[in-house]
Amino acid sequence: MVKAVRVHGPGGPEVLQIEDVELPPPGAGQAQIVHRAIGVNYIDIYHRTGAYPVDYPFTPGYEGAGEVIALGEGVRGLALGDRVAYVGSLGGYAEARNIAAASLVKLPRSFSFETGAVMMLKGLTAQYLLRRTFHVKKGDRILVHAGAGGVGHILCQWGRALGARVIATVGSEEKALIARKAGAKHTILYRYENFVERVREITKGRLCDVVYDGVGKATFPASLDCLRPFGLFVSFGSASGPIDAFDISLLTQKGSLFATRPSLFAHIARRRDLEEMTHDVARVIKEGEVKLEVSGRYRLEEAAQAHAALETRQTTGALVLTP
Ligand code: NDP
């Protein structure tokens, strides 16, 4: 038996209940790992509330790091005791779990389990957003919404390292300081200021090449007005709620814009891409271009507190659960 967070139906943070569950031996192609650190992400909230459909009961959690303690039949390239990390299959909020061996990556020796547990979902997302969805280069003007958040904090740092001029929106003065320290040249308190007007002022009317928007409903369609003609709107999340359906001719009116709604899971569907992207994330961490900030640590039993803090905008950077 292992302790795991279980959810029996959609709801608020209170539906995250700690229970003892059976952990069978790993099946063919699986590894069993004991978690040392577990990442908490906004997607865990979408699963908990039912915004992203799941089968009940389930254990939330899409990102973690730990050690291999058993191997199923046919697993090659992994050994007992290996330090590993992963992203992308429900079941993370648990002391230990079984997982497809093909989804594991080995942690560089110099990386802590905590780094491993927060570099996968958030780090790989920042990687594809900056290097694949839009190839950010020196001199680009990029707008990052929620620039002090888990993904946003990495986007600010990495964006600056690529030579971009980063403008970040943030929910408070404290978050503005964090985003500026991370590399945002300008911050906008979008709860109080009109962010479109501020972007116009800051860029002297030239507007942005790309907008990274993980906020959703609250920043749409205004985000489109922050883009220069032919600019790219990247809607990668909906922390404030999903964007309503819109008439595609809006993109014409706003300057022949491009828009995309990408997902990490399409980007890492092939093992080769997962490895390349992880390698790139590890590189920027090793070279000091990106520093992952864990600003909230909770015990597994405190998962509800972590969720409550995340969805009420009280957090910055990354959050982890420690079993
Ligand atoms: P964050 O740490 O960024 O937390 C969300 C932040 O959004 C809050 O801190 C808050 O920052 C801002 N926000 C604005 N309006 C609201 C609101 N009404 N309710 C709650 N938060 C609000 O979370 P993550 O880093 O885990 O995720 C960021 C986004 O990225 C999410 O939308 C997530 O779904 C998405 N994502 C998408 C992926 C993909 O591949 N498509 C992969 C990974 C994440 P502030 O106070 O500064 O406004």
Side-chain angles (χ1 to χ4, degrees):
M1 292 286 220
V2 294
K3 286 204 185 317
V5 172
R6 300 288 277 170
V7 176
H8 293 269
E14 70 286 349
V15 301
L16 301 168
Q17 296 288 339
I18 195 100
E19 291 175 13
D20 288 323
V21 298
E22 283 292 343
L23 182 63
Q30 287 189 324
Q32 189 169 86
I33 62 170
V34 61
H35 280 128
R36 300 296 179 209
I38 299 154
V40 176
N41 292 284
Y42 225 89
I43 195 169
D44 307 341
I45 294 177
Y46 305 142
H47 288 138
R48 193 204 72 217
T49 59
Y52 286 5
V54 280
D55 293 328
Y56 299 100
F58 75 97
T59 293
Y62 249 39
E63 184 184 37
E67 283 166 79
V68 175
I69 52 170
L71 290 169
E73 221 183 286
V75 176
R76 305 263 173 278
L78 279 175
L80 300 189
D82 276 352
R83 301 165 78 251
V84 291
Y86 68 87
V87 54
S89 75
L90 277 173
Y93 291 12
E95 288 175 329
R97 68 171 300 173
N98 293 330
I99 188 160
S103 69
L104 295 174
V105 296
K106 287 192 191 162
L107 262 187
R109 215 181 286 274
S110 59
F111 284 23
S112 66
F113 285 118
E114 227 176 46
T115 296
V118 302
M119 67 178 245
M120 297 302 290
L121 207 154
K122 290 169 276 286
L124 294 181
T125 298
Q127 200 279 345
Y128 85 75
L129 290 174
L130 296 166
R131 312 305 294 140
R132 293 176 177 226
T133 304
F134 187 89
H135 212 83
V136 171
K137 56 189 189 320
K138 195 169 161 42
D140 282 343
R141 294 177 300 276
I142 72 175
L143 177 64
V144 175
H145 283 307
V151 178
H153 191 247
I154 304 175
L155 288 175
C156 288
Q157 297 178 71
W158 203 336
R160 176 179 62 179
L162 291 167
R165 184 168 172 191
V166 181
I167 305 172
T169 60
V170 285
S172 68
E173 286 286 2
E174 186 209 347
K175 291 185 177 187
L177 272 179
I178 290 168
R180 277 204 295 274
K181 215 175 133 208
K185 194 163 166 60
H186 308 273
T187 49
I188 303 172
L189 294 171
Y190 61 168
R191 291 172 92 159
Y192 318 104
E193 300 180 286
N194 178 320
F195 71 84
V196 178
E197 278 174 16
R198 290 278 288 113
V199 165
R200 262 197 214 112
E201 271 168 35
I202 291 165
T203 62
K204 300 189 171 57
R206 289 152 71 210
L207 303 175
C208 295
D209 300 283
V210 57
V211 173
Y212 290 114
D213 192 338
V215 170
K217 197 176 183 73
T219 44
F220 189 82
S223 284
L224 301 181
D225 292 319
C226 299
L227 285 164
R228 58 149 170 88
F230 313 109
L232 176 66
F233 172 60
V234 184
S235 169
F236 69 98
S238 44
S240 67
I243 293 173
D244 290 330
F246 66 93
D247 183 347
I248 200 162
S249 64
L250 197 58
L251 302 179
T252 323
Q253 293 158 27
K254 306 279 184 188
S256 295
L257 301 179
F258 293 84
T260 182
R261 203 323 182 175
S263 151
L264 172 62
F265 304 106
H267 284 86
I268 59 172
R270 291 187 312 172
R271 175 78 198 178
R272 205 181 66 199
D273 292 319
L274 172 69
E275 285 176 4
E276 271 179 27
M277 290 165 68
T278 308
H279 189 263
D280 203 20
V281 172
R283 178 188 62 78
V284 289
I285 295 173
K286 282 182 189 158
E287 290 175 2
E289 290 178 352
V290 170
K291 192 167 178 306
L292 300 178
E293 295 285 351
V294 175
S295 62
R297 295 179 176 82
Y298 301 82
R299 286 178 296 119
L300 195 54
E301 295 81 350
E302 296 171 330
Q305 281 156 257
H307 274 219
L310 184 58
E311 68 188 341
T312 53
R313 306 171 74 164
Q314 292 173 46
T315 63
T316 59
L319 307 180
V320 293
L321 304 177
T322 322

